[in-house]
Amino acid sequence: MICTLSREDLRDLFPGPENFLRRKTVWQICHGVSQEETGQDDSKSTCSSTSINDSPLPQASTPVKRCPAKHTTPEKVVKLSFPEYVLHTDTELEQVRKHYFELAKTGEESSCQMSKDLRCRLIRNTMTSMIAILRAKGDGDRYPSKPEVTAMAKRIVLYYPMLQDRDLSSKNAWVTVYTQLYKRLQNVRSPQKTNPKRRRLVEPNCQPDPDELDSSDSTVILDRSSQGSSIQDCPSEGSSTPDSGSNARRIDTPDTDSPATTGKHRTLIRTAKKPADIDTSDTDSPATMAKHYRTLQSLCRKKNPNHESISQLLDLEFAARRAFIDSDSCREEDKHKKILEAYPCFKDIGHVMGELQRILDKDNIHYIDELKERWDNFCQKVQFFGVWKKLLKPPMGMDKVEQALGILHVLPSLFPSSSAPPKKLGHASEALVHVLEENEDPNDYLRKRPLSCPVLILSLSNCLLAVGDVPITTLPKDKVTEGVLYLMAYYYALHLTYPRCVATLLSVIQTEVLLDTIHDQDLTPSFKKSMADWKAFVGK
């Protein structure tokens, strides 16, 4: 019975790259094939012009219109002498492949295209699987070599024919897939400083070699000595899994609504998703994190740093950065200064919003757009809520900036906290926004301000965003409509405590706009009352 098992059956019984050696051993025991014989058979199959495996499904390299009954399906396994890689597939990809061959029966296969999302998923997960198999084999920090990437690109194009290059001038139909695989391989490596005295281990041009372009076989037999040298300076990131766990982000925030706990601090738990690529020992090692941080600092010191390069390094260094920021090793009053000194890139609104996305929903590339849309819907409802509470006038004849200022001034009254604002502050809305009076200096206002939380300072011409007494950046005046989102992003990115006078309001925005939950034990009476009134109004 066991001798009838196929490679797919063994893969179902022992899934994952960690069971690769076990599957190989069982296969050799069942079929009595040694490693040397397997290598010889693969060498013969490479030199031959026939296909490796027979299957009733069509193959991309044969004209499906002529003889639809004798087509073969290539294996999902790329057989190399060392190691053996497996291309990625799932239900959606198989559905696209099935649709392609259905169209091929009528000669309309050229109209079948794989979506960008599915193509990116295929390339990303295939390269992740290749690196994970190398790690399971105990190959240290070695990455897939060019011949291995070339063989995988050929096998992908055979298995998914709709990915073939349609450029008639191109000699090979798999060059585009090879380029995408190689680019993905470069992305999972940490950026390296260029050193003219050091021999480059990775060629900057990702096009295949001429010798590789001449080969048309999808199975390549390689000796281990010809698979490229091991790159010791690049940390491994390919062994991460696409599934992301969750972690709890804790911020000390005072619970001022309970008489029994007045003046004491409780813990507000902000649930956040942990990035999928920070859960391996290689990427979490102190040496790797230190290397990422040094590279990040060198980029930030440039006059015009590349935004995408900094974002990539912030992704790689996320775990160590959050451990440093969340450690509460410095006082709340000086915390923002220490963090901004260590990470000057957080003076850029784009990087702070990106950090908010990493904390709350890293895998959702549309999170910021969805967040702004939820904030617009929330503001529209708040306008009606304020008119219903007789705290706002109908916004007739008002521009967007005036409407946004009116909403910001009335929000603390619509969602009140039990603690009054400091006397020097005046109204609770001053914790969010301050409109400069004539001849008032914003620097003098920041020095005299009793709170160290993020704030928007509005002048006649523009809007200044500051944290504590540190000016961060200047925004166009019409950006005040999104100002609260920027404030919330700094609360999360710098791990700051909500001021008592607006704690209820910011908690409402956290749950209703950011969709970040609060633990049941941290639901204060004022928050419960405000949410009950809000839900009752929205439900009308």
Side-chain angles (χ1 to χ4, degrees), residues 15-28:
E18 64 274 6
N19 292 319
F20 172 76
L21 293 178
R22 183 174 299 170
R23 294 196 300 268
K24 183 177 180 181
T25 303
V26 174
W27 177 265
Q28 292 177 355

Side-chain angles (χ1 to χ4, degrees), residues 9-164:
D9 296 332
L10 291 177
R11 196 171 297 110
D12 293 337
L13 291 174
F14 307 106
E18 64 274 6
N19 292 319
F20 172 76
L21 293 178
R22 183 174 299 170
R23 294 196 300 268
K24 183 177 180 181
T25 303
V26 174
W27 177 265
Q28 292 177 355
I29 293 175
C30 293
H31 297 273
V33 180
S34 64
Q35 187 174 1
E36 295 180 356
E37 293 172 348
T38 303
Q40 294 174 359
D41 293 340
D42 291 340
S43 299
K44 295 178 182 178
S45 61
T46 303
C47 300
S48 64
S49 60
T50 59
S51 300
I52 300 173
N53 303 294
D54 293 332
S55 177
L57 291 179
Q59 188 176 10
S61 60
T62 58
V64 294
K65 295 183 287 186
R66 299 179 181 177
C67 48
K70 298 181 180 180
H71 302 309
T72 59
T73 299
E75 287 189 15
K76 291 178 282 188
V77 178
V78 178
K79 299 178 181 179
L80 304 172
S81 60
F82 179 87
E84 183 177 284
Y85 296 117
V86 181
L87 64 86
H88 173 74
T89 185
D90 56 28
T91 305
E92 293 181 78
L93 290 170
E94 290 293 338
Q95 186 67 26
V96 174
R97 186 171 180 270
K98 180 180 178 181
H99 179 63
Y100 173 87
F101 290 119
E102 290 177 353
L103 293 177
K105 296 177 181 179
T106 59
E108 300 177 356
E109 66 273 12
S110 59
S111 62
C112 180
Q113 294 183 354
M114 184 179 292
S115 66
K116 183 178 179 181
D117 290 341
L118 287 179
R119 177 192 288 258
C120 291
R121 183 197 305 173
L122 171 63
I123 298 297
R124 181 174 59 251
N125 291 344
T126 298
M127 182 53 64
T128 298
S129 174
M130 294 178 69
I131 299 176
I133 289 174
L134 286 178
R135 298 297 174 265
K137 292 287 292 184
D139 241 6
D141 292 334
R142 190 176 83 80
Y143 287 89
S145 61
K146 272 190 173 183
E148 294 172 342
V149 178
T150 303
M152 179 56 73
K154 295 176 183 178
R155 182 51 56 91
I156 289 177
V157 170
L158 281 178
Y159 198 78
Y160 298 105
M162 70 288 300
L163 297 180
Q164 293 181 2

Side-chain angles (χ1 to χ4, degrees), residues 170-447:
S170 177
K171 182 179 179 181
N172 298 283
W174 45 266
V175 176
T176 300
V177 175
Y178 171 88
T179 304
Q180 294 172 344
L181 281 172
Y182 197 87
K183 183 178 180 181
R184 176 60 184 171
L185 176 61
Q186 291 179 321
N187 287 342
V188 299
R189 292 169 172 163
S190 62
Q192 299 293 312
K193 296 182 180 179
T194 57
N195 188 353
K197 297 181 180 180
R198 182 179 177 185
R199 182 174 64 87
R200 295 183 65 87
L201 297 178
V202 180
E203 293 296 331
N205 186 10
C206 64
Q207 294 295 328
D209 294 336
D211 295 339
E212 296 172 357
L213 289 172
D214 294 338
S215 175
S216 59
D217 293 331
S218 61
T219 303
V220 178
I221 306 299
L222 300 173
D223 294 331
R224 182 170 183 176
S225 59
S226 65
Q227 292 179 359
S229 58
S230 174
I231 300 176
Q232 299 294 337
D233 295 335
C234 297
S236 168
E237 295 163 21
S239 57
S240 61
T241 60
D243 298 331
S244 60
S246 61
N247 64 341
R249 178 173 179 269
R250 298 177 177 269
I251 293 184
D252 290 335
T253 242
D255 181 9
T256 59
D257 300 302
S258 176
T261 59
T262 303
K264 297 182 180 180
H265 286 73
R266 296 180 64 185
T267 302
L268 174 62
I269 301 179
R270 292 174 179 171
T271 304
K273 294 183 178 179
K274 184 169 64 175
D277 54 350
I278 64 170
D279 196 26
T280 62
S281 58
D282 292 336
T283 57
D284 275 344
S285 64
T288 302
M289 291 298 175
K291 182 189 297 184
H292 294 331
Y293 180 75
R294 289 193 300 269
T295 309
L296 177 64
Q297 293 305 304
S298 65
L299 285 178
C300 291
R301 284 192 291 268
K302 293 183 178 180
K303 185 176 181 180
N304 295 314
N306 185 275
H307 190 278
E308 293 183 359
S309 299
I310 292 179
S311 297
Q312 180 186 2
L313 284 166
L314 289 175
D315 289 338
L316 297 174
E317 201 246 352
F318 180 83
R321 180 173 66 257
R322 298 320 306 176
F324 162 69
I325 294 176
D326 298 348
S327 62
D328 295 331
S329 57
C330 53
R331 297 185 308 166
E332 184 74 19
E333 294 78 9
D334 302 329
K335 187 173 187 177
H336 60 280
K337 297 180 181 179
K338 300 291 185 183
I339 297 174
L340 291 174
E341 288 176 2
Y343 295 94
C345 57
F346 282 160
K347 290 188 177 182
D348 187 325
I349 289 294
H351 291 309
V352 175
M353 295 297 287
E355 187 76 356
L356 178 65
Q357 178 182 347
R358 292 184 196 94
I359 294 172
L360 294 180
D361 197 355
K362 180 181 183 297
D363 297 326
N364 184 6
I365 60 176
H366 305 293
Y367 176 77
I368 301 301
D369 296 333
E370 295 172 357
L371 177 64
K372 292 179 180 179
E373 183 178 355
R374 289 196 298 269
W375 171 248
D376 291 339
N377 295 334
F378 180 77
C379 289
Q380 293 176 7
K381 295 177 182 178
V382 163
Q383 282 186 332
F384 290 102
F385 190 43
V387 173
W388 182 64
K389 287 270 190 177
K390 298 182 179 180
L391 296 174
L392 271 178
K393 295 180 180 179
M396 301 297 181
M398 301 172 61
D399 58 21
K400 291 185 178 180
V401 175
E402 292 175 343
Q403 293 181 27
L405 280 177
I407 291 174
L408 291 177
H409 284 136
V410 80
L411 275 175
S413 301
L414 292 176
F415 305 100
S417 298
S418 60
S419 295
K423 293 182 179 180
K424 293 183 179 180
L425 188 66
H427 194 267
S429 63
E430 291 288 319
L432 303 176
V433 63
H434 174 74
V435 180
L436 290 176
E437 299 178 358
E438 188 176 358
N439 299 327
E440 184 180 6
D441 186 13
N443 293 323
D444 292 340
Y445 170 76
L446 290 177
R447 284 193 294 268

